[in-house]
Amino acid sequence: MALSGPEVEKQVPTEPRPGRKLQSWWSLVFCLCFYGFMAQMRPGESFITPYLLGPDKNFTQKQVTNEITPVLSYSYLAVLVPIFLLTDYLRYKPVLLLQGLSYVSVWLLLLFGSSVLHMQAMEFFFGITMAARIAYSSYIFSLVPAACYQRMAGYSRASVLLGVFTSSVLGQLLVTMGRVPFSTLNYISLAFLTFSLVLTLFLKRPKRSLFFNRGAPASAGASPSELDRMNLGQGQPTGGKLGRLPASWRDSVLAHMLRELGRTARLPQLRLWSLWWVFNSAGYYLIVYYVHILWNVVNPTTDTTRVYNGGADAASTLLGAVTSFAAGFVQLRWALWAELIIAVVTVLQAGLVFLMYRTSSIWLCYSAFVLFRGSYQFLVPVATFQIASSLSQELRALVFGVNTFLATVLKTIITLVVSDKRGLGLPVRSQFLIYFVYFLVLFVAYVLAALLTGLRHFRQGRRQPPPPAQELMSPMQEPAAQDGLAPEDGVRAVGEQRQQPEAKA
């Protein structure tokens, strides 16, 4: 969950200053990106399922599908909120250490565990690593000035994607050309992860964070944040640690933020993209969790050199990066066309899931997954921008956190009903049929929403254009509506929106 910065006043420099500060800036960029790259170097990850089903571990497909894999969803849900809070309270670095230790634990259990219980513990630690990813994505913004947020977001995302791609390609080359067994591949992954854990020890620990450890705004050269604005007039200090202030202050701020969150839910585009985030993300991650098991069903080969999971993961990562980049250049009136675009992408996803369910060709199954992942990644930056563009930094973090939590809850419920042995305990092919129906239902809902939007637009005709507050605007569009803001500062705080006439709310 990458966060954009708060509004920046004129005294904040837009570029790193020359000399030592410039050198320090590039050193910081290199360290953060190198760590982000190395933390993704897990060449054995693409081959965990065939490793568990193969002679090394010899678990049955039913055990992996209905007893081991569901634990990942449960553990992720259990630790998501505590880690989200601890990430901010402990100022990022301890949670990065926790993530590194959890990764090491995952591969130690993979290598030396022998029972279903051991593998369930492995999935539990994997859930911790997934929940802790927020630590890196928010950590980078605590070390650089707000004027550098956009570039740091691009650099860090590129380093992570490059790490995933390199890891997948390396794993595939070692298996196919080097004929390296899966167990050796896991030892190599453990070595990489141990090195990344050591790197974590050398990362700088920030002095401030978003909610609990807040420095005085004036010292940072930035304008007061949303939390500071909420407290104006109450006679409470804005600096210092939030945890040291009276409980009544904290409660009032939380209550105020929740009220603001309720008001922002009235924005049609914010509501639409938040719902997309919840429902489509749940379906997407269910496919990602279980597709490796499906590949083993479609291609149950004992020749490990003919397992191309790493190549498929590398291709899907590369296509996802390309589609994410391309989404930034799409110029549409999203308030009018968003539902239709989402519907088109969703029906494409439904068709690809059905192809994965029906096909007996592993290459078709690989290709369908690559396209499925790329289509989802195309809409992720659009949804991120549409949700974030009218929110302050704190509310933005809260909205993304709520959306992720709700998606995790939905994903966990589906896993419990469909996959878990205590539920239906369906085999993996039957699960993909359920997921196809799931995406088909979403498509129908989006088509109906698109028809309603089109009908509403047709009725309005050319009588009057919609007021600006009815749709989320890009930072390039907002300066026209708000005087005095530079293009890169065009993020409106919700508290400021409320000062506009009620007709625009």
Side-chain angles (χ1 to χ4, degrees):
M1 183 173 60
L3 303 175
S4 299
E7 298 169 52
V8 183
E9 291 186 339
K10 293 181 181 180
Q11 61 264 35
V12 178
T14 57
E15 294 288 340
R17 292 180 179 178
R20 292 184 178 179
K21 287 191 175 182
L22 181 61
Q23 184 178 2
S24 175
W25 155 258
W26 285 112
S27 298
L28 181 62
V29 169
F30 174 78
C31 291
L32 292 177
C33 292
F34 181 67
Y35 169 77
F37 175 85
M38 291 305 303
Q40 306 304 316
M41 291 299 294
R42 306 183 294 271
E45 185 171 351
S46 298
F47 304 94
I48 289 178
T49 297
Y51 172 72
L52 294 177
L53 295 171
D56 292 296
K57 295 302 176 184
N58 205 29
F59 291 108
T60 66
Q61 192 175 107
K62 185 175 181 61
Q63 286 175 321
V64 174
T65 305
N66 305 125
E67 297 182 46
I68 297 174
T69 305
V71 176
L72 178 59
S73 295
Y74 305 150
S75 62
Y76 183 43
L77 176 63
V79 301
L80 180 60
V81 173
I83 286 183
F84 177 79
L85 297 175
L86 286 174
T87 295
D88 191 89
Y89 186 75
L90 298 178
R91 288 177 286 156
Y92 312 111
K93 183 175 177 177
V95 177
L96 291 174
L97 284 169
L98 174 63
Q99 184 186 44
L101 289 170
S102 297
Y103 268 130
V104 171
S105 301
V106 166
W107 260 265
L108 287 175
L109 285 166
L110 275 173
L111 287 167
F112 303 111
S114 58
S115 66
V116 171
L117 183 61
H118 290 152
M119 296 304 105
Q120 288 175 332
M122 179 270 295
E123 294 286 13
F124 172 76
F125 283 111
F126 221 121
I128 293 177
T129 66
M130 292 180 61
R133 289 174 185 173
I134 187 179
Y136 177 73
S137 60
S138 52
Y139 166 76
I140 58 177
F141 299 108
S142 65
L143 296 176
V144 298
C148 302
Y149 281 1
Q150 183 175 354
R151 280 188 295 164
M152 277 307 304
Y155 295 152
S156 63
R157 179 168 175 79
S159 66
V160 168
L161 291 175
L162 182 61
V164 174
F165 178 78
T166 304
S167 175
S168 300
V169 171
L170 177 63
Q172 189 62 63
L173 291 176
L174 289 174
V175 168
T176 303
M177 301 182 66
R179 298 183 179 274
V180 173
F182 294 146
S183 57
T184 304
L185 203 61
N186 286 324
Y187 278 110
I188 296 173
S189 300
L190 181 61
F192 275 121
L193 291 169
T194 303
F195 177 67
S196 67
L197 177 61
V198 174
L199 286 180
T200 311
L201 300 175
F202 295 94
L203 293 177
K204 179 181 178 181
R205 190 180 184 188
K207 295 181 180 180
R208 60 185 176 85
S209 58
L210 189 60
F211 294 109
F212 292 104
N213 304 280
R214 303 179 53 79
S219 63
S223 60
S225 68
E226 183 69 12
L227 284 181
D228 301 321
R229 292 191 194 98
M230 289 176 182
N231 195 46
L232 291 178
Q234 295 182 16
Q236 298 290 351
T238 57
K241 289 190 175 182
L242 185 60
R244 294 177 180 174
L245 296 176
S248 59
W249 189 92
R250 298 197 304 270
D251 292 342
S252 65
V253 169
L254 179 60
H256 198 139
M257 288 187 69
L258 291 176
R259 286 195 297 270
E260 292 294 331
L261 185 62
R263 293 190 185 102
T264 61
R266 300 175 186 175
L267 295 170
Q269 289 295 290
L270 179 65
R271 186 168 58 245
L272 169 68
W273 288 103
S274 292
L275 290 173
W276 176 87
W277 195 285
V278 171
F279 288 99
N280 285 62
S281 293
Y284 168 79
Y285 282 106
L286 286 169
I287 297 297
V288 171
Y289 289 173
Y290 288 93
V291 73
H292 288 78
I293 304 175
L294 180 67
W295 290 343
N296 193 81
V297 172
V298 175
N299 183 37
T301 180
T302 56
D303 184 1
T304 58
T305 62
R306 294 182 178 273
V307 178
Y308 300 99
N309 295 8
D313 285 337
S316 63
T317 300
L318 183 60
L319 181 62
V322 171
T323 55
S324 296
F325 180 77
F329 296 91
V330 176
Q331 298 293 329
L332 283 176
R333 186 180 173 188
W334 288 104
L336 179 60
W337 298 105
E339 291 91 343
L340 185 59
I341 297 298
I342 293 175
V344 171
V345 173
T346 303
V347 74
L348 173 64
Q349 291 177 316
L352 293 171
V353 172
F354 185 76
L355 179 59
M356 285 187 273
Y357 158 71
R358 288 290 298 175
T359 187
S360 58
S361 168
I362 188 61
W363 292 107
L364 274 178
C365 202
Y366 283 149
S367 301
F369 174 71
V370 170
L371 293 174
F372 175 86
R373 196 170 185 177
S375 62
Y376 173 81
Q377 294 297 334
F378 171 75
L379 287 181
V380 166
V382 178
T384 301
F385 163 70
Q386 290 290 324
I387 292 173
S389 59
S390 69
L391 300 176
S392 66
Q393 186 179 15
E394 290 83 4
L395 283 178
R396 190 180 306 133
L398 187 60
V399 168
F400 281 121
V402 169
N403 289 346
T404 301
F405 177 74
L406 293 178
T408 306
V409 170
L410 177 60
K411 177 182 61 182
T412 304
I413 292 173
I414 296 175
T415 299
L416 181 61
V417 173
V418 176
S419 305
D420 199 291
K421 67 175 185 178
R422 290 164 291 187
L424 297 177
L426 297 177
V428 69
R429 275 198 183 273
S430 300
Q431 289 185 38
F432 270 68
L433 180 60
I434 298 294
Y435 303 148
F436 160 69
V437 174
Y438 176 86
F439 278 100
L440 204 59
V441 170
L442 291 180
F443 162 69
V444 173
Y446 293 134
V447 166
L448 292 176
L451 291 175
L452 288 175
T453 299
L455 182 61
R456 191 161 52 242
H457 178 72
F458 177 77
R459 286 180 176 177
Q460 287 178 350
R462 298 182 179 179
R463 284 178 291 179
Q464 185 178 358
Q470 288 185 357
E471 61 177 293
L472 304 183
M473 297 184 296
S474 72
M476 297 301 294
Q477 293 171 313
E478 287 195 11
Q482 254 185 290
D483 295 332
L485 285 180
E488 61 268 26
D489 299 330
V491 179
R492 286 184 297 175
V494 174
E496 293 175 350
Q497 283 183 326
R498 304 308 162 205
Q499 297 173 6
Q500 297 177 359
E502 287 294 325
K504 293 185 178 182

